[in-house]
């Protein structure tokens, strides 16, 4: 496997970062995960824009342009001869001394891994996922801005641990006020009386690229949608529920905290979103070659 590391394609065994890298020492950095389907990178521009926004928000000055980073991404996929898969971009603050001060780091470091990812076994896409509410909350915006896709994923990881220990594959995360935010690596949607609902980003969700795609598809499918503050109650009484994310794609949720959602089976409108998403993902995007 060839890895993009600081402007060079190197062999996997040579792709190493320093133990003094602040990405490792402090989680000081940002990342993106992007899928490519059928020889095209899906929503590349949106992902790269978010990467730059995340960097900006943590006062990390990118030494490359967005166009360059898009080209590096495509080059890395091409160098690995892949047509379908997942590409991970990681930007760290770079190497510095011990001590938090990011201004003492010389230069940000970036690596790009083109590979594949599978979050959930295929059967869950057909049969749906049972999720549980976890005690770990999304951090308040004043603590860690939820829109920043940073290298600080510990709270999401602790949430994931809770889900796994409870025998579930994914955790519903609430914000500090107890309103629904999102899951550990996915945004959440529900359908109630034919209307699609999702929490506003301000309730503690990442501004998901797939989330945005779903809202566009809702317009195309003629399904009304609203961003609305939600509680667990809204999910308990919903007709359908699903999660979205680059890695997860679109996956039905059939239970929350062991209470069935709707009739306890993946919903019909959810199936339409899954179908429309697959069609769009397989037919649009930035060509790899
Ligand atoms: N919320 C969080 C906290 C995320 O990390 C999403 C929502 C969905 O956003 P996108 O833009 O992907 O639709 C994410 C993205 C992983 C993995 O390894 C997780 C994500 C992306 C890629 C890989 O679990 N999460």
């Amino acid at each position: 496997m060839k890895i993009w590391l600081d402007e060079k394609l190197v062999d996997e065994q040579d792709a190493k970062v320093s133990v003094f890298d602040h990405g490792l020492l402090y989680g000081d950095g940002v990342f993106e995960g992007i899928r490519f389907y059928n020889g095209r990178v899906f929503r590349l521009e949106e992902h790269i824009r978010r990467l730059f926004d995340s960097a900006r928000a943590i006062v990390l000055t990118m030494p490359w342009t967005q166009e360059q980073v898009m080209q590096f991404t495509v080059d890395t996929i091409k160098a690995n001869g892949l047509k379908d898969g997942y590409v991970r971009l990681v930007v760290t603050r770079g190497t510095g001394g011990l001590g938090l001060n990011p201004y003492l780091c010389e230069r940000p470091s970036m690596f790009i891994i083109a590979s594949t990812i599978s979050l959930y076994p295929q059967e869950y896409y057909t049969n749906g996922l049972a999720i549980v509410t976890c005690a770990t909350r999304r951090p308040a915006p004043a603590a860690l801005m939820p829109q920043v896709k940073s290298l600080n994923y510990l709270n999401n990881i602790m949430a994931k641990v809770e889900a796994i220990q409870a025998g579930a594959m994914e955790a519903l995360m609430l914000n500090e006020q107890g309103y629904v935010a999102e899951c550990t690596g996915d945004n959440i949607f529900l359908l109630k009386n034919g209307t699609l609902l999702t929490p506003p980003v301000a309730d503690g969700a990442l501004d998901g690229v797939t989330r945005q795609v779903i809202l566009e598809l809702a317009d195309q499918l003629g399904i009304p949608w609203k961003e609305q503050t939600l509680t667990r109650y809204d999910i308990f009484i919903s007709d359908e529920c699903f999660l979205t994310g680059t890695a997860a794609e679109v996956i039905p949720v059939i239970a929350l905290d062991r209470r069935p959602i709707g009739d306890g089976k993946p919903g019909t409108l959810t199936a339409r979103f899954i179908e429309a998403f697959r069609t769009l993902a397989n037919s649009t995007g930035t060509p790899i070659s």
Side-chain angles (χ1 to χ4, degrees):
M1 189 191 286
K2 292 280 185 192
I3 310 286
W4 183 274
L5 176 61
D6 294 331
E7 302 180 14
K8 282 192 288 287
L9 277 163
V10 299
D11 287 327
E12 189 177 339
Q13 61 269 24
D14 300 323
K16 297 195 172 119
V17 296
S18 164
V19 294
F20 290 101
D21 192 300
H22 279 213
L24 178 60
L25 285 175
Y26 303 115
D28 187 354
V30 293
F31 78 105
E32 271 302 320
I34 312 172
R35 267 192 194 267
F36 45 99
Y37 299 89
N38 207 11
R40 296 164 192 238
V41 190
F42 189 57
R43 301 275 160 145
L44 178 61
E45 257 176 62
E46 285 89 333
H47 281 285
I48 301 303
R49 200 178 305 133
R50 185 172 65 186
L51 182 71
F52 276 70
D53 286 346
S54 291
R56 182 115 195 228
I58 66 161
V59 206
L60 191 159
T61 308
M62 295 283 274
W64 315 277
T65 64
Q66 295 196 28
E67 289 68 29
Q68 281 178 306
V69 175
M70 285 195 270
Q71 192 60 51
F72 298 161
T73 307
V74 169
D75 290 347
T76 308
I77 298 169
K78 213 190 297 182
N80 287 284
L82 297 167
K83 278 186 75 187
D84 290 88
Y86 171 86
V87 56
R88 168 71 54 97
L89 289 87
V90 180
V91 182
T92 76
R93 188 76 65 180
T95 51
L98 296 175
L100 295 181
N101 191 345
Y103 295 103
L104 299 179
C105 295
E106 266 171 46
R107 187 178 201 270
S109 198
M110 176 165 66
F111 55 88
I112 306 174
I113 308 166
S115 183
T116 55
I117 194 169
S118 153
L119 276 203
Y120 309 109
Q122 195 52 45
E123 68 207 68
Y124 291 91
Y125 289 86
T126 320
N127 301 332
L129 204 61
I131 64 172
V132 292
T133 310
C134 63
T136 305
R137 298 289 171 99
R138 287 290 285 164
L144 190 61
M145 299 158 281
Q147 283 93 328
V148 176
K149 204 162 162 61
S150 81
L151 297 182
N152 275 277
Y153 259 58
L154 253 191
N155 88 300
N156 301 52
I157 291 165
M158 291 305 107
K160 192 84 172 181
V161 165
E162 285 186 63
I164 292 166
Q165 289 182 345
M169 302 269 280
E170 188 52 285
L172 175 69
M173 300 184 75
L174 309 177
N175 65 19
E176 275 203 329
Q177 288 75 44
Y179 296 112
V180 171
E182 59 179 344
C183 291
T184 67
D186 330 297
N187 290 107
I188 190 160
F189 286 86
L190 60 81
L191 285 140
K192 184 67 180 171
N193 300 327
T195 298
L196 181 72
L197 299 173
T198 194
V201 168
D203 282 352
L206 186 81
D207 192 355
V209 171
T210 321
R211 176 184 184 276
Q212 191 56 46
V213 169
I214 289 297
L215 297 178
E216 289 171 26
L217 288 174
D219 285 336
Q220 283 172 29
L221 295 170
I223 297 169
W225 60 268
K226 261 196 301 212
E227 291 180 304
Q228 190 177 296
T229 293
L230 300 171
T231 63
R232 288 167 72 225
Y233 168 85
D234 297 305
I235 301 177
F236 290 144
I237 64 153
S238 67
D239 303 320
E240 301 182 29
C241 179
F242 61 87
L243 310 180
T244 68
T246 297
E249 301 174 297
V250 184
I251 187 158
V253 174
I254 50 159
L256 172 63
D257 301 328
R258 301 188 187 270
R259 305 189 197 187
I261 291 168
D263 60 3
K265 297 199 189 79
T268 50
L269 289 176
T270 301
R272 289 181 66 192
F273 278 108
I274 291 174
E275 176 67 29
F277 177 80
R278 287 192 179 145
T279 303
L280 186 72
N282 279 294
S283 60
T284 59
T286 307
I288 293 164
S289 50

